């Protein structure tokens, strides 16, 4: 008995004074990892879920990603979201047993082929993730969901938009269905989205516009009967739950694992039902202000499943549109012919027009 114990002791691994155990953390990469072109560059948007499994707090000091300058505490802090708690004064500190999500946005001159990640914690051995090969699948191309000009891509694709940070739980998992979502609002000459009484939905330029099928496909889900809101930051006609979040909506299957979600439709205006086969450009309903909405607009996103919450948001491209300019330069952008962009995804606060042939 004594001899056996001695052998086991002698062959046990020994750490030198210079060696350290790796940090007791879990670092998980999540997202579609499909790059998309926008404004002459390639972009990737995804998340790193970082969970501290230690009994003590750990401090995130640096994240290195291919194609990006190293992310340091100054650049990490604004992009770290702490699950289940308010943001601490030092976001890079992860308490024992807690998780933070780092929102990543990579921009490169050419389509990336692979990414490498190295995550460093204070006084710990760095964590190096396996090389991530970028899939060759390109974003799906869709037709415009609306007609006309002066459409603002509000809360559009960026690393800081409200949609980008909309992590929602479902089926025991956190999802980011709205990762590339856009709120389409129509602007008027004064730079406002309405004229007259701002408390009346019909005062808004976008209200009642036809919502068009972005591709031929099958209607797989609808919601109707939710009353409209009075426009305003806090005025909601119903309590907001997972069932009422999108208001009246349509989910259209447009390709394998690709679904288009149209939210906030006028109640009673739906022109389709579940199971209908529709053609690209067909009217699905009318733009309204139902559900979690402050004013009439179309919320549109493309996802990899039929559920607007428990699916993963994926990028998409418009074959062609006119980029009229940025909201910050509205006086020059309004009614502008704009720059022709082809096979791109418009970014946050661009003003678009969809009135070109053949649209």
């Amino acid at each position: 008995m004594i001899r056996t114990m001695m052998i086991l002791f002698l062959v046990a691994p020994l750490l030198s004074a210079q060696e350290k155990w790796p940090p007791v953390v879990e670092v998980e990469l999540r997202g579609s990892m499909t790059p998309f072109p926008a404004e002459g560059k390639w972009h990737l948007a995804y998340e790193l879920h970082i969970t501290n499994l230690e009994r003590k707090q750990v401090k995130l000091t640096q994240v290195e990603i291919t194609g990006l300058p190293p992310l340091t505490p100054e650049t990490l802090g604004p992009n770290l979201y702490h699950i289940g708690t308010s943001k601490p004064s030092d976001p890079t500190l992860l308490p024992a047993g807690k998780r933070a999500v780092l929102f990543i946005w990579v921009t490169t001159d050419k389509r990336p082929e692979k990414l490498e990640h190295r995550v460093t914690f204070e006084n710990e051995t760095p964590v190096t993730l396996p090389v991530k090969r970028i899939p060759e699948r390109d974003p799906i191309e869709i037709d415009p969901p609306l007609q006309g000009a002066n459409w603002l891509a509000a809360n559009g694709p960026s690393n800081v938009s409200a949609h980008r940070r909309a992590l929602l739980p479902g089926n025991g998992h956190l999802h980011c269905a709205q990762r590339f979502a856009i709120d389409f609002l129509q602007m008027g000459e004064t730079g406002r989205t309405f004229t007259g009484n701002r408390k009346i939905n019909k005062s808004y330029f976008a209200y009642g516009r036809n919502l068009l099928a972005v591709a031929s496909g099958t209607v797989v889900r609808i919601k109707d009967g939710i009353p409209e809101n009075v426009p305003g930051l806090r005025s909601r006609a119903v309590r907001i739950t997972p069932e009422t979040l999108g208001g009246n909506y349509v989910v259209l299957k447009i390709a394998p694992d690709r679904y288009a979600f149209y939210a906030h439709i006028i109640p009673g205006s739906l022109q389709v039902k579940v199971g209908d086969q529709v053609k690209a450009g067909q009217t699905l309903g009318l733009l309204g202000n139902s559900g979690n909405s402050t004013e009439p607009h179309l919320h549109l996103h493309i996802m990899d499943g039929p559920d607007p919450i428990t699916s993963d948001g994926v990028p998409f491209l418009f074959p062609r549109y006119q980029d009229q300019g940025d909201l910050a330069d509205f006086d020059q952008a309004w009614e502008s012919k704009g720059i022709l962009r082809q096979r791109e995804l418009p970014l946050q606060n661009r003003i678009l027009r969809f009135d070109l042939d053949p649209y």
Side-chain angles (χ1 to χ4, degrees), residues 209-227:
R209 299 288 187 178
N210 290 337
L211 302 178
L212 309 178
V214 295
S216 298
T218 305
V219 177
V220 295
R221 290 192 182 188
I222 64 170
K223 171 75 74 175
D224 200 358
I226 296 178

Side-chain angles (χ1 to χ4, degrees), residues 20-329:
K20 296 180 180 179
W21 289 104
V24 186
V25 297
E26 181 182 62
V27 182
E28 181 185 5
L29 188 154
R30 293 192 189 179
S32 69
M33 300 306 293
T34 301
F36 62 92
E39 299 183 13
K41 301 282 188 179
W42 284 90
H43 307 266
L44 265 171
Y46 58 97
E47 300 83 51
L48 284 180
H49 287 240
I50 305 171
T51 306
N52 178 15
L53 304 176
E54 295 266 21
R55 294 181 179 180
K56 61 180 182 181
Q57 72 176 12
V58 296
K59 181 175 177 63
L60 183 63
T61 57
Q62 184 169 273
V63 175
E64 298 166 85
I65 304 171
T66 309
L68 286 184
L71 300 174
T72 61
E74 292 72 23
T75 49
L76 286 168
N79 296 307
L80 275 168
Y81 170 66
H82 285 247
I83 303 295
T85 184
S86 56
K87 194 168 187 176
S89 56
D90 183 354
T92 63
L93 288 176
L94 276 68
K98 294 294 185 179
R99 179 192 295 187
V101 176
L102 178 62
F103 293 93
I104 303 291
W105 187 283
V106 176
T107 299
T108 57
D109 291 327
K110 63 180 183 178
R111 194 185 197 281
E113 297 179 355
K114 64 180 181 180
L115 288 178
E116 299 180 24
H117 299 79
R118 181 182 169 95
V119 183
T120 303
F121 300 87
E122 189 174 67
N123 298 321
E124 302 278 4
T125 304
V127 175
T128 301
L129 301 186
V131 174
K132 178 65 179 179
R133 298 285 174 180
I134 305 302
E136 295 182 359
R137 182 176 184 175
D138 288 330
I140 190 169
E141 290 190 31
I142 65 172
D143 288 345
L146 299 153
Q147 292 178 326
N150 306 312
W151 289 104
L152 173 66
N155 290 319
S158 81
N159 207 37
V160 296
S161 76
H163 290 143
R164 177 75 182 95
R165 306 301 175 97
L167 293 173
L168 297 174
N171 298 330
H173 194 76
L174 277 176
H175 302 269
C176 194
Q178 303 178 61
R179 188 179 286 112
F180 304 100
I182 297 177
D183 287 336
F184 287 99
L185 297 85
Q186 195 166 36
M187 309 296 293
E189 185 175 6
T190 63
R192 293 183 172 183
T193 55
F194 65 93
T195 183
N197 189 341
R198 68 186 307 162
K199 293 294 184 181
I200 299 175
N201 284 316
K202 290 183 179 179
S203 297
Y204 289 76
F205 301 112
Y207 187 74
R209 299 288 187 178
N210 290 337
L211 302 178
L212 309 178
V214 295
S216 298
T218 305
V219 177
V220 295
R221 290 192 182 188
I222 64 170
K223 171 75 74 175
D224 200 358
I226 296 178
E228 290 197 284
N229 307 314
V230 173
L233 291 177
R234 295 177 177 82
S235 56
R236 301 292 185 272
V238 296
R239 180 172 173 266
I240 300 304
T241 69
E243 288 296 313
T244 63
L245 186 66
N248 307 302
Y249 66 76
V250 171
V251 176
L252 182 65
K253 183 176 183 179
I254 57 177
D257 301 322
R258 293 295 181 263
Y259 299 79
F261 175 60
Y262 299 73
H264 312 312
I265 299 174
I266 294 176
S269 74
L270 294 177
Q271 299 183 25
V272 293
K273 61 184 184 300
V274 172
D276 282 357
Q277 303 291 317
V278 303
K279 294 186 179 298
Q282 182 175 331
T283 298
L284 305 177
L286 303 180
L287 186 152
N289 185 27
S290 58
N292 191 33
S293 172
T294 59
E295 67 177 83
H297 72 280
L298 166 65
H299 171 105
L300 176 78
H301 69 247
I302 307 297
M303 50 194 179
D304 64 0
D307 189 282
I309 292 177
T310 62
S311 300
D312 198 42
V314 295
F316 54 93
L317 308 176
F318 291 120
R320 60 198 295 260
Y321 65 92
Q322 296 290 132
D323 183 344
Q324 296 177 231
D326 190 85
L327 180 62
D329 301 312

